[in-house]
Amino acid sequence: MKQELLLTVIIFVLLTLKVGKGMGNAGLLNLVNFLLVLNLLAGFIFPKAGMLFSDMYHTSPLIILEKNILNLGTLIISLQSYAWLKDHEHVSEFYILLLSTLLGMYFMISAGNLLMFYLGLELSTIPLAAVANFDLGKRKSSEAAMKLIISSAFSSGLLLFGISLVYGITGTIGFAGIATQINGSPLHLFAFILLLAGFGFKISAVPFHLWTADVYEGSPIAVTAYLSVISKAAVLFVFVSVLYTVFKPIAGSWYAMVSLLAVATITTGNLFAIRQDNFKRFLAFSSIAQVGFMLVAITGSSAAGNAAVVYFILIYVFSNLAAFGVIALVSAATGKENISDYKGFYSTNPALSWVLAIGLFSLAGIPPTAGFFGKFFLLFAGAAKGNYVLVTIAAMNMIISFYYYLRVIKAIFMDKAEQPIRPLAIPAYPKLAFVICISGIVFVGFARFVYDYIHSLSIGF
């Protein structure tokens, strides 16, 4: 429970500073980034597996790694948010709320029963709606927060209904107890479908994705990046764990459901991404498609499937945050967020253009970026069940995704504009974040020991 305690201490430090005399934004951002670095490093020191509170809370080397990935992503987002937050009047509140959601994700990932899982989920969701409204002068930001609250309330209702049914059927809320009693009866399957729908909302799987683009577009870019990467990654970690352990006895049933979700999610995400001009909506639909690829790997029901998802999320942190980092910097300086605004971007900002291009190449899965290896492992794990129709559909969708990612590359490098975005200075913190992202995209794919290590910790059957 070391990671939860460390994060709680950071939140209390920020609360104390807020209640006290307070600090200037520059000093506060320096302090927060320093604490987040310490939190990330401490996550790797003396990892200890075990259970607490009558198995309500458990941890393992894989869970510790997953929390460290979330810590890394949060640190990168914090570094990238410098240009936006340096003049914001509520920096302390932003970090208190954001880190509270991260604490909720910790508890959700370490949950050993449905009550702990649900409490963690709510703690990770409610403060997130508040930070979605942190562009205080923009109406769209308020709309995004309201849509996030409504969609979260609806998905929580479905989850609670499913949890109630599971408890009524099995007489227990412990994951281990449920796994021994769940079977494929119609009532059991109905309860599972309700839980699956709840998870579907959180990871933006089709047809539960309708809130995603509007919330992404209206939220501040830092929050959009957090929703796209950290929030989604945490739920996917839990989703894999629950499917592979709690609902292992009905794997034959959920395999078909998750396969259908994968096909619908990849195809819908890709087709809608083609039509988008707003960068945040574009990345919203592309992130929906990426979730579909991860669902393909999950159907593999193997340690390779689990490892592929965790490995891809690690790469996704670097790739997606590289793209969001450039967009955040441009938006903070110019207010421009459309793809058409980026015509001629390379002529004025070559460094930022390459960061954005490498991030998009990795998201598309173009070799030799790490995204190529990530997609390869996802499809390879999905093919383990011999469902080559599913893998073929996923592979064809990769070709479609090439088109819309390259459309952005064309705008940046080839299209001309009479008034391209002016040359932008890159502050030190965002520059450090870009170095981390590009290093991850370039080296993680070739560092085989990273995948081997994740595979050695993974579960499957």
Side-chain angles (χ1 to χ4, degrees), residues 66-280:
E66 291 171 346
K67 291 176 183 175
N68 287 335
I69 292 174
L70 300 184
N71 285 340
L72 174 64
T74 304
L75 172 63
I76 294 173
I77 290 171
S78 177
L79 294 173
Q80 290 177 340
S81 306
Y82 181 83
W84 172 59
L85 286 174
K86 67 179 181 180
D87 298 320
H88 203 288
E89 57 181 318
H90 297 294
V91 177
S92 298
E93 291 90 334
F94 176 78
Y95 278 107
I96 290 169
L97 290 168
L98 198 74
L99 297 182
S100 296
T101 70
L102 188 60
L103 185 61
M105 292 172 201
Y106 282 2
F107 285 118
M108 187 170 61
I109 293 173
S110 285
N113 67 28
L114 290 171
L115 178 60
M116 177 66 83
F117 164 72
Y118 185 74
L119 291 176
L121 183 69
E122 289 302 299
L123 180 57
S124 70
T125 303
I126 295 172
L128 206 50
V131 291
N133 191 26
F134 248 64
D135 265 342
L136 302 176
K138 295 183 179 178
R139 183 178 173 182
K140 275 192 171 182
S141 188
S142 301
E143 290 179 5
M146 183 56 69
K147 287 174 182 174
L148 184 57
I149 289 172
I150 292 171
S151 64
S152 297
F154 187 59
S155 63
S156 292
L158 291 174
L159 266 173
L160 273 179
F161 191 12
I163 289 172
S164 302
L165 280 178
V166 169
Y167 177 65
I169 294 165
T170 63
T172 178
I173 56 172
F175 285 166
I178 295 170
T180 60
Q181 299 190 49
I182 199 86
N183 58 50
S185 71
L187 188 57
H188 288 196
L189 289 179
F190 181 60
F192 172 75
I193 289 170
L194 290 172
L195 291 172
L196 182 64
F199 275 108
F201 271 104
K202 300 299 181 186
I203 61 176
S204 302
V206 174
F208 312 108
H209 67 293
L210 297 175
W211 61 275
T212 311
D214 290 342
V215 173
Y216 278 31
E217 183 183 6
S219 301
I221 292 180
V223 180
T224 306
Y226 193 81
L227 278 166
S228 174
V229 178
I230 309 301
S231 176
K232 202 167 283 187
V235 179
L236 278 163
F237 290 147
V238 181
F239 187 51
V240 177
S241 173
V242 168
L243 284 182
Y244 283 15
T245 56
V246 182
F247 294 104
K248 179 181 174 181
I250 57 170
S253 300
W254 65 249
Y255 173 78
M257 298 180 201
V258 175
S259 297
L260 285 174
L261 280 182
V263 171
T265 303
I266 299 175
T267 307
T268 305
N270 274 343
L271 292 179
F272 278 86
I274 293 173
R275 303 175 52 190
Q276 306 305 316
D277 186 46
N278 180 277
F279 237 125
K280 289 193 284 190

